[in-house]
Amino acid sequence: MIKAGIIGATGYTGAELVRMLSAHPDVELTVITSRQYEGSPISDVYPSLSGRCELVCEAFDLETFCDRVDIAFTALPHKIPMDIVPGLLKGGVRVVDLSADFRFRNVADYEAWYQPHTASELSEKAVYGLCELYRDQIRDARVVGNPGCYPTTILLALVPLLKAGIIRAEGIISDSKSGVSGAGRGLSLGSHFCEANESFKAYKVDGHRHRPEIEEVLSAAHGDAVEITFIPHLIPATRGMLSTIYCTLVEGKTEDDARKVLAETYGASPFVRLREKGRVPDILHVQHTNFCDIGLASDARGGRLVVMSAIDNLLKGASGQAVQNMNIMAGLDERAGLL
């Protein structure tokens, strides 16, 4: 059995990790931490976990934590993990980090959009945890930077098409929508019921910090710089995320060519489902699952390809993908604990 611990277990992503890991056939969840709820059973914080996990939230102590776990999930706000992860690694613990701290290979990009990085040498060694595209690197990784939710939808849809020369790198536009849980459990005016209910609006139109993460991976896949227009929207739903991405087909390429590339890329991937021609992804069909559903449509008049990608932002967009990363790192069935 793999001994797992969660640092930051009482946010939405932390609670999803508790739910999945406490029922995982190959995992013993041994410790969960929370500063706010130290001393409280997790079932008091989330009554839905009653009878499923009776662990008590603890304050984080590096030495005692490392003594009890093989792998750590850091479900913390950006900046905090970079101060914790070096100590975990010295204690012999492997890490899946759900913040942005270890997603970037180019530390300068991270620092431009977040804050100064205090563990840049680890950032350069970390593996980007997009499971379907980086399995081989993830297997041996000591630190995995779990991807952001929006990047997961966009990159799974576009990376194979860029690599295969199906779409042009110029002029990519992603119109992306997220449920309110993507904002986290902390209180904010925009996530109040009366503000979000019956509302549908764009936000951070002048630049969302998931954009440089998306562009770094697309650029690596393309072999040259790729810039996209990325506009996120908030929808009045608790969970779910849909990206509708507009691309230009390379001359001579068709929707059928794109469909063939995606089918070949993800044929052996249990959590990516390519929708049949004429059917489109729906967040309702991926809620509470680790699936990413991808659909295609084309406009022959303008040579445009429309790629649609839907996930549950808390699962494939966060905690589900983190467990999938752990499964790969441990040599387990990729689906373990996720169905």
Side-chain angles (χ1 to χ4, degrees):
M1 296 288 281
I2 299 164
K3 294 182 178 180
I6 304 168
I7 305 172
T10 54
Y12 288 145
T13 58
E16 290 286 1
L17 285 169
V18 172
R19 179 181 62 81
M20 289 182 287
L21 293 174
S22 60
H24 195 294
D26 302 298
V27 171
E28 179 187 0
L29 182 59
T30 57
V31 56
I32 58 176
T33 79
S34 171
R35 288 182 297 182
Q36 184 177 358
Y37 294 100
E38 179 186 355
S40 298
I42 189 66
S43 56
D44 283 358
V45 184
Y46 287 95
S48 62
L49 292 172
S50 296
R52 305 177 73 174
C53 180
E54 302 304 330
L55 288 174
V56 174
C57 298
E58 305 177 15
F60 175 70
D61 177 80
L62 178 62
E63 185 175 350
T64 59
F65 185 91
C66 290
D67 286 342
R68 290 183 283 171
V69 306
D70 305 309
I71 189 163
F73 294 85
T74 46
L76 299 165
H78 314 302
K79 187 174 175 54
I80 299 175
M82 69 175 76
D83 295 328
I84 292 174
V85 169
L88 294 171
L89 295 177
K90 288 179 182 178
V93 176
R94 300 172 82 182
V95 178
V96 179
D97 175 41
L98 281 76
S99 80
D101 286 5
F102 297 98
R103 294 176 188 164
F104 289 79
R105 303 291 73 76
N106 185 342
V107 175
D109 283 343
Y110 173 90
E111 293 184 332
W113 287 84
Y114 292 88
Q115 59 265 319
H117 207 298
T118 59
S120 57
E121 70 287 351
L122 289 181
S123 187
E124 294 167 3
K125 298 175 183 177
V127 173
Y128 190 66
L130 196 55
C131 301
E132 287 74 16
L133 300 180
Y134 299 106
R135 279 190 188 90
D136 292 343
Q137 298 95 315
I138 291 166
R139 286 190 182 97
D140 297 322
R142 300 292 300 164
V143 182
V144 169
N146 210 61
C149 46
Y150 284 122
T152 296
T153 63
I154 295 167
L155 295 172
L156 287 176
L158 294 189
V159 167
L161 302 180
L162 267 179
K163 277 188 171 182
I166 302 297
I167 59 173
R168 296 179 59 84
E170 302 80 20
I172 296 171
I173 300 170
S174 183
D175 181 355
S176 301
K177 290 97 173 171
S178 175
V180 182
S181 59
R185 197 172 186 228
L187 297 179
S188 67
L189 179 62
S191 61
H192 285 187
F193 178 81
C194 292
E195 299 291 332
N197 184 48
E198 300 183 31
S199 170
F200 177 23
K201 59 180 177 290
Y203 67 99
K204 296 187 178 176
V205 177
D206 56 347
H208 190 289
R209 56 191 180 184
H210 279 177
R211 192 184 75 201
E213 178 183 340
I214 296 163
E215 290 178 342
E216 181 178 85
V217 177
L218 290 180
S219 297
H222 180 56
D224 202 355
V226 175
E227 295 182 353
I228 73 166
T229 299
F230 165 58
I231 306 297
H233 299 72
L234 187 68
I235 60 174
T238 299
R239 58 200 300 161
M241 178 169 284
L242 174 71
S243 288
T244 304
I245 312 161
Y246 307 95
C247 317
T248 301
L249 287 161
V250 169
E251 188 174 353
K253 300 299 183 181
T254 67
E255 177 188 334
D256 288 340
D257 294 325
R259 184 172 296 279
K260 181 180 178 182
V261 166
L262 291 173
E264 290 174 349
T265 301
Y266 297 125
S269 295
F271 292 114
V272 177
R273 304 186 296 199
L274 185 59
R275 299 288 81 184
E276 298 85 353
K277 191 175 181 70
R279 301 189 67 180
V280 298
D282 187 327
I283 61 171
L284 188 64
H285 302 155
V286 294
Q287 283 179 344
H288 303 283
T289 80
N290 196 53
F291 289 109
C292 174
D293 284 359
I294 299 176
L296 297 170
S298 57
D299 181 353
R301 297 172 303 170
R304 299 289 279 178
L305 180 71
V306 180
V307 190
M308 297 150 283
S309 178
I311 64 171
D312 184 312
N313 55 292
L314 294 180
L315 292 180
K316 186 58 175 169
S319 304
Q321 185 145 246
V323 173
Q324 189 179 355
N325 272 309
M326 179 203 69
N327 288 340
I328 295 170
M329 294 165 77
L332 302 175
D333 184 331
E334 203 167 308
R335 301 166 296 177
L338 290 169
L339 293 174

